Amino acid sequence: MLMRRRLPPSLFPRLRSFATSAPGFQFAPVDDARDALAKYRQKLEKKAAEQGFASAEELLKNASKFAVPEPKAPLPRSAKLSESALSPEKSKQFVRPPSKASRSKDLPSYIKPLDEIVDVDRLKEEDAARIETIWNEYHKTQAGMLSGVMPVSFYETMKKNGKEFPMFVLPIPREAGVEFYLLQTALNQIYFTSLLEYKTHGTEARPRLTVTHYDDLGESKGVVLMRGEVSDAGVLKAEDARLLVLLTQTFYVTGGAAKRRLVEAFNRTPHAFDYRELVAEAERIL
């Protein structure tokens, strides 16, 4: 069973400030909220039908398979190795706890360093494409985990924006509307907590998904490894976790001016934040 951690103490001052303005999340009358969420759901169902999916959930599951967008200049691919050419058994050859583990300065002490997950010295002998395959194939065998590999430039942009705008909310479609998740960035990590749970328990609320970025290979290989840990798979499904990652990357890196304005507004003028705009922008991603 995966350990459920509380939010890190470094976030508490920020969260206390947020808690003061939390009533601002009553953005509109309840009837307006229900109407907006119902329209969001209807549009997702329509899009699913147009693309041949049985439901909105099937559409989201398909869309969230590609949580880490392809860079404009694709990572080099080995001519002798496709993404499916490496079996999970072979990828495990790179998983070896070394005698000593180095730690990124931006990694919390309770998070495993990369050296405790893979044999970094052996990984450094591979090209970026093979590293991507090894990393993702290994995590396919790990329950409650998701993974990805991104160009270091993409990650640096996301981290820079996350430092400037450390909190945001993201909508996840449900059978009867939408569930909102509170996103919080802290150094090399991103925490996702149910907004309802946060409003109920405050800083005692525990993240449902914790995403860690390992930048150990950034300088030598030009890639950053992403590892997501779902704390309660019975509550947050794998496709929901992937969608949260996709939405985060879109709002913080690739989404353009409209999405950036929403992120900025949430952090700087939360009382004026419009959740209906958020739902509309999230809808455009699919």
Side-chain angles (χ1 to χ4, degrees), residues 188-222:
N188 281 22
Q189 292 190 294
I190 304 176
Y191 301 88
F192 299 89
T193 308
S194 164
L195 181 58
L196 177 61
E197 186 173 338
Y198 174 74
K199 291 179 71 175
T200 303
H201 301 291
T203 55
E204 294 297 311
R206 299 183 181 186
R208 298 271 178 84
L209 170 66
T210 301
V211 172
T212 303
H213 297 92
Y214 294 95
D215 55 7
D216 308 56
L217 302 176
E219 185 174 341
S220 60
K221 298 297 178 180

Side-chain angles (χ1 to χ4, degrees), residues 15-24 198:
L15 289 172
R16 290 191 188 102
S17 175
F18 169 73
T20 303
S21 59
Y198 174 74

Side-chain angles (χ1 to χ4, degrees), residues 69-75 151 153-154 253-254:
E70 287 291 329
K72 292 182 180 179
L75 297 176
S153 58
F154 183 97
V253 184
T254 64

Side-chain angles (χ1 to χ4, degrees), residues 216-234:
D216 308 56
L217 302 176
E219 185 174 341
S220 60
K221 298 297 178 180
V223 295
V224 173
L225 309 182
M226 182 201 77
R227 173 182 172 106
E229 180 178 356
V230 178
S231 63
D232 191 342

